[in-house]
Amino acid sequence: FFFSRSKVQRTAPAARSCPTTPNTHLHIVAVMLALATASSAWWFPSGASTRDATVDGIDLACPDTSAPFGLACGMKVVATAKASCSDVLEEMHARVDGQADGSWHDPHNRGTYAVQKYGGSFSTSRLTGDGKFTDKQLFTLTRTGSGSCQIQACSRSQVPSGLDAGTNYCNLKMLFCGSHDCAGGRCCKPLKHDFTTAGEQTEKFMQSSVDLGVCLKV
């Protein structure tokens, strides 16, 4: 930002701090909002908002983010599981619950999930393995005509961010991936229901990325 300063008399022994008038405050806020709007237009995918987003014509809900102006990383995933929605939901619950007795751990740097009430069919928060950041996830499960289950999922970071090294994608994928999801010789390890998914679509907030290999790094 570049702000004008009131002139200081040359005879003054030292520069004075400039008084700020209410109009100046309004000007500063207006400039910040304009820059934020311009930034979001460049960083966010076309037509996406911080609350509801569209992936190939499918409107899906996202958790709120506490980052100013919504300028935070995030990822939306839509996929169809070849299983009932009750099985998908039971599997996600089992993985989160399995952290307590060691029957399951998050392959992505051993983050910690907790069940939350953000909405949708199922929602969680995930604390990163280093204990520094918490992201929010929201899943909406819809039964399809074929007896399969459409998974609509969204993860949002809660601090200002531009790059996430695949974290928000992993936040979602690690709760419903199956043994067929492999990268670098490593595969997901389901607990109760091992199902496949098809037709996966993703859409990012900011410059978030998709990399299954990163998810299975541990």
Side-chain angles (χ1 to χ4, degrees):
F1 297 91
F2 295 89
F3 303 116
S4 60
R5 299 190 178 193
S6 53
K7 295 182 179 179
V8 178
Q9 297 292 335
R10 291 182 181 275
T11 56
R16 294 180 290 113
S17 60
C18 303
T20 305
T21 65
N23 286 338
T24 303
H25 282 302
L26 291 174
H27 176 70
I28 292 173
V29 171
V31 171
M32 292 177 68
L33 286 172
L35 288 175
T37 300
S39 298
S40 63
W42 183 76
W43 283 100
F44 283 121
S46 176
S49 71
T50 60
R51 183 61 187 168
D52 296 292
T54 302
V55 177
D56 194 22
I58 301 173
D59 290 326
L60 56 92
C62 285
D64 290 326
T65 176
S66 55
F69 307 109
L71 298 178
C73 288
M75 185 62 66
K76 295 160 282 178
V77 177
V78 174
T80 300
K82 295 182 179 179
S84 66
C85 288
S86 59
D87 284 355
V88 174
L89 183 60
E90 185 177 19
E91 178 61 24
M92 291 195 292
H93 269 291
R95 295 185 194 188
V96 176
D97 294 342
Q99 298 171 118
D101 61 13
S103 59
W104 185 84
H105 70 270
D106 177 17
H108 183 224
N109 299 322
R110 290 185 179 272
T112 302
Y113 288 91
V115 175
Q116 302 293 349
K117 295 181 179 180
Y118 302 140
S121 306
F122 184 63
S123 59
T124 57
S125 60
R126 178 185 176 274
L127 177 67
T128 53
D130 58 12
K132 293 182 178 180
F133 304 104
T134 298
D135 304 324
K136 295 180 179 179
Q137 300 81 46
L138 192 155
F139 301 82
T140 301
L141 308 178
T142 306
R143 184 178 182 276
T144 66
S146 61
S148 297
C149 182
Q150 184 186 69
I151 302 170
Q152 299 177 19
C154 185
S155 176
R156 293 304 310 274
S157 297
Q158 298 301 302
V159 297
S161 49
L163 302 170
D164 72 349
T167 294
N168 281 281
Y169 175 74
C170 298
N171 289 345
L172 303 171
K173 187 73 171 180
M174 292 303 93
L175 288 184
F176 65 82
C177 58
S179 61
H180 65 289
D181 291 304
C182 305
R186 302 181 181 89
C187 301
C188 287
K189 297 180 179 179
L191 287 181
K192 291 190 173 183
H193 303 284
D194 185 11
F195 47 81
T196 60
T197 56
E200 181 176 293
Q201 304 170 56
T202 62
E203 191 171 304
K204 64 187 178 182
F205 286 89
M206 308 297 275
Q207 294 302 301
S208 300
S209 55
V210 175
D211 188 343
L212 183 59
V214 170
C215 302
L216 300 170
K217 199 170 183 178
V218 173

PDB file of all heavy atoms in Angstrom, residues 108-121:
ATOM      1  N   HIS A 108      -1.240 -39.011   5.970  1.00  0.00           N
ATOM      2  CA  HIS A 108      -0.659 -37.720   5.586  1.00  0.00           C
ATOM      3  C   HIS A 108      -0.053 -37.025   6.800  1.00  0.00           C
ATOM      4  O   HIS A 108      -0.687 -36.205   7.471  1.00  0.00           O
ATOM      5  CB  HIS A 108      -1.730 -36.832   4.939  1.00  0.00           C
ATOM      6  CG  HIS A 108      -1.193 -35.528   4.459  1.00  0.00           C
ATOM      7  ND1 HIS A 108      -1.843 -34.330   4.676  1.00  0.00           N
ATOM      8  CD2 HIS A 108      -0.057 -35.215   3.788  1.00  0.00           C
ATOM      9  CE1 HIS A 108      -1.138 -33.345   4.146  1.00  0.00           C
ATOM     10  NE2 HIS A 108      -0.057 -33.861   3.607  1.00  0.00           N
ATOM     11  N   ASN A 109       1.174 -37.385   7.098  1.00  0.00           N
ATOM     12  CA  ASN A 109       1.930 -36.765   8.194  1.00  0.00           C
ATOM     13  C   ASN A 109       1.263 -36.895   9.557  1.00  0.00           C
ATOM     14  O   ASN A 109       1.445 -36.056  10.435  1.00  0.00           O
ATOM     15  CB  ASN A 109       2.189 -35.278   7.884  1.00  0.00           C
ATOM     16  CG  ASN A 109       2.999 -35.088   6.621  1.00  0.00           C
ATOM     17  OD1 ASN A 109       3.914 -35.853   6.343  1.00  0.00           O
ATOM     18  ND2 ASN A 109       2.645 -34.083   5.830  1.00  0.00           N
ATOM     19  N   ARG A 110       0.459 -37.943   9.684  1.00  0.00           N
ATOM     20  CA  ARG A 110      -0.168 -38.262  10.971  1.00  0.00           C
ATOM     21  C   ARG A 110      -0.924 -37.074  11.587  1.00  0.00           C
ATOM     22  O   ARG A 110      -0.717 -36.708  12.753  1.00  0.00           O
ATOM     23  CB  ARG A 110       0.870 -38.807  11.964  1.00  0.00           C
ATOM     24  CG  ARG A 110       1.370 -40.196  11.599  1.00  0.00           C
ATOM     25  CD  ARG A 110       2.301 -40.756  12.654  1.00  0.00           C
ATOM     26  NE  ARG A 110       2.746 -42.098  12.309  1.00  0.00           N
ATOM     27  CZ  ARG A 110       2.100 -43.222  12.621  1.00  0.00           C
ATOM     28  NH1 ARG A 110       0.955 -43.154  13.301  1.00  0.00           N
ATOM     29  NH2 ARG A 110       2.579 -44.402  12.277  1.00  0.00           N
ATOM     30  N   GLY A 111      -1.814 -36.510  10.812  1.00  0.00           N
ATOM     31  CA  GLY A 111      -2.691 -35.473  11.349  1.00  0.00           C
ATOM     32  C   GLY A 111      -3.729 -36.103  12.271  1.00  0.00           C
ATOM     33  O   GLY A 111      -3.841 -37.332  12.366  1.00  0.00           O
ATOM     34  N   THR A 112      -4.485 -35.273  12.959  1.00  0.00           N
ATOM     35  CA  THR A 112      -5.491 -35.764  13.896  1.00  0.00           C
ATOM     36  C   THR A 112      -6.863 -35.211  13.528  1.00  0.00           C
ATOM     37  O   THR A 112      -7.071 -33.991  13.519  1.00  0.00           O
ATOM     38  CB  THR A 112      -5.146 -35.345  15.336  1.00  0.00           C
ATOM     39  OG1 THR A 112      -3.843 -35.846  15.677  1.00  0.00           O
ATOM     40  CG2 THR A 112      -6.178 -35.906  16.307  1.00  0.00           C
ATOM     41  N   TYR A 113      -7.801 -36.112  13.240  1.00  0.00           N
ATOM     42  CA  TYR A 113      -9.170 -35.734  12.907  1.00  0.00           C
ATOM     43  C   TYR A 113     -10.044 -35.736  14.155  1.00  0.00           C
ATOM     44  O   TYR A 113      -9.821 -36.519  15.086  1.00  0.00           O
ATOM     45  CB  TYR A 113      -9.780 -36.715  11.908  1.00  0.00           C
ATOM     46  CG  TYR A 113      -9.249 -36.641  10.505  1.00  0.00           C
ATOM     47  CD1 TYR A 113      -8.164 -37.420  10.107  1.00  0.00           C
ATOM     48  CD2 TYR A 113      -9.843 -35.807   9.553  1.00  0.00           C
ATOM     49  CE1 TYR A 113      -7.686 -37.374   8.797  1.00  0.00           C
ATOM     50  CE2 TYR A 113      -9.377 -35.751   8.253  1.00  0.00           C
ATOM     51  CZ  TYR A 113      -8.287 -36.542   7.876  1.00  0.00           C
ATOM     52  OH  TYR A 113      -7.822 -36.496   6.590  1.00  0.00           O
ATOM     53  N   ALA A 114     -11.058 -34.876  14.136  1.00  0.00           N
ATOM     54  CA  ALA A 114     -12.075 -34.874  15.187  1.00  0.00           C
ATOM     55  C   ALA A 114     -13.428 -34.630  14.542  1.00  0.00           C
ATOM     56  O   ALA A 114     -13.546 -33.800  13.630  1.00  0.00           O
ATOM     57  CB  ALA A 114     -11.785 -33.791  16.225  1.00  0.00           C
ATOM     58  N   VAL A 115     -14.449 -35.349  14.983  1.00  0.00           N
ATOM     59  CA  VAL A 115     -15.787 -35.164  14.438  1.00  0.00           C
ATOM     60  C   VAL A 115     -16.340 -33.820  14.910  1.00  0.00           C
ATOM     61  O   VAL A 115     -16.205 -33.450  16.081  1.00  0.00           O
ATOM     62  CB  VAL A 115     -16.729 -36.302  14.891  1.00  0.00           C
ATOM     63  CG1 VAL A 115     -18.159 -36.047  14.414  1.00  0.00           C
ATOM     64  CG2 VAL A 115     -16.228 -37.644  14.359  1.00  0.00           C
ATOM     65  N   GLN A 116     -16.933 -33.077  13.977  1.00  0.00           N
ATOM     66  CA  GLN A 116     -17.489 -31.761  14.286  1.00  0.00           C
ATOM     67  C   GLN A 116     -18.934 -31.666  13.813  1.00  0.00           C
ATOM     68  O   GLN A 116     -19.493 -32.653  13.311  1.00  0.00           O
ATOM     69  CB  GLN A 116     -16.643 -30.663  13.622  1.00  0.00           C
ATOM     70  CG  GLN A 116     -15.182 -30.658  14.023  1.00  0.00           C
ATOM     71  CD  GLN A 116     -14.956 -30.282  15.467  1.00  0.00           C
ATOM     72  OE1 GLN A 116     -15.862 -29.817  16.160  1.00  0.00           O
ATOM     73  NE2 GLN A 116     -13.740 -30.478  15.957  1.00  0.00           N
ATOM     74  N   LYS A 117     -19.527 -30.496  13.953  1.00  0.00           N
ATOM     75  CA  LYS A 117     -20.910 -30.271  13.532  1.00  0.00           C
ATOM     76  C   LYS A 117     -20.973 -29.034  12.643  1.00  0.00           C
ATOM     77  O   LYS A 117     -21.611 -28.036  12.978  1.00  0.00           O
ATOM     78  CB  LYS A 117     -21.812 -30.102  14.748  1.00  0.00           C
ATOM     79  CG  LYS A 117     -21.908 -31.353  15.618  1.00  0.00           C
ATOM     80  CD  LYS A 117     -22.843 -31.130  16.802  1.00  0.00           C
ATOM     81  CE  LYS A 117     -22.949 -32.396  17.647  1.00  0.00           C
ATOM     82  NZ  LYS A 117     -23.854 -32.194  18.819  1.00  0.00           N
ATOM     83  N   TYR A 118     -20.296 -29.115  11.501  1.00  0.00           N
ATOM     84  CA  TYR A 118     -20.288 -27.988  10.560  1.00  0.00           C
ATOM     85  C   TYR A 118     -21.453 -28.066   9.568  1.00  0.00           C
ATOM     86  O   TYR A 118     -21.676 -27.136   8.809  1.00  0.00           O
ATOM     87  CB  TYR A 118     -18.977 -27.958   9.775  1.00  0.00           C
ATOM     88  CG  TYR A 118     -17.733 -27.857  10.623  1.00  0.00           C
ATOM     89  CD1 TYR A 118     -16.589 -28.603  10.297  1.00  0.00           C
ATOM     90  CD2 TYR A 118     -17.682 -27.029  11.730  1.00  0.00           C
ATOM     91  CE1 TYR A 118     -15.438 -28.512  11.053  1.00  0.00           C
ATOM     92  CE2 TYR A 118     -16.536 -26.941  12.504  1.00  0.00           C
ATOM     93  CZ  TYR A 118     -15.404 -27.691  12.159  1.00  0.00           C
ATOM     94  OH  TYR A 118     -14.264 -27.598  12.908  1.00  0.00           O
ATOM     95  N   GLY A 119     -22.155 -29.198   9.564  1.00  0.00           N
ATOM     96  CA  GLY A 119     -23.233 -29.394   8.609  1.00  0.00           C
ATOM     97  C   GLY A 119     -22.964 -30.597   7.726  1.00  0.00           C
ATOM     98  O   GLY A 119     -22.035 -31.375   7.953  1.00  0.00           O
ATOM     99  N   GLY A 120     -23.779 -30.768   6.671  1.00  0.00           N
ATOM    100  CA  GLY A 120     -23.613 -31.888   5.763  1.00  0.00           C
ATOM    101  C   GLY A 120     -23.963 -33.214   6.412  1.00  0.00           C
ATOM    102  O   GLY A 120     -24.606 -33.278   7.468  1.00  0.00           O
ATOM    103  N   SER A 121     -23.518 -34.301   5.785  1.00  0.00           N
ATOM    104  CA  SER A 121     -23.752 -35.640   6.328  1.00  0.00           C
ATOM    105  C   SER A 121     -22.724 -36.007   7.386  1.00  0.00           C
ATOM    106  O   SER A 121     -22.978 -36.828   8.276  1.00  0.00           O
ATOM    107  CB  SER A 121     -23.693 -36.675   5.192  1.00  0.00           C
ATOM    108  OG  SER A 121     -24.560 -36.346   4.135  1.00  0.00           O
TER     109      SER A 121
END
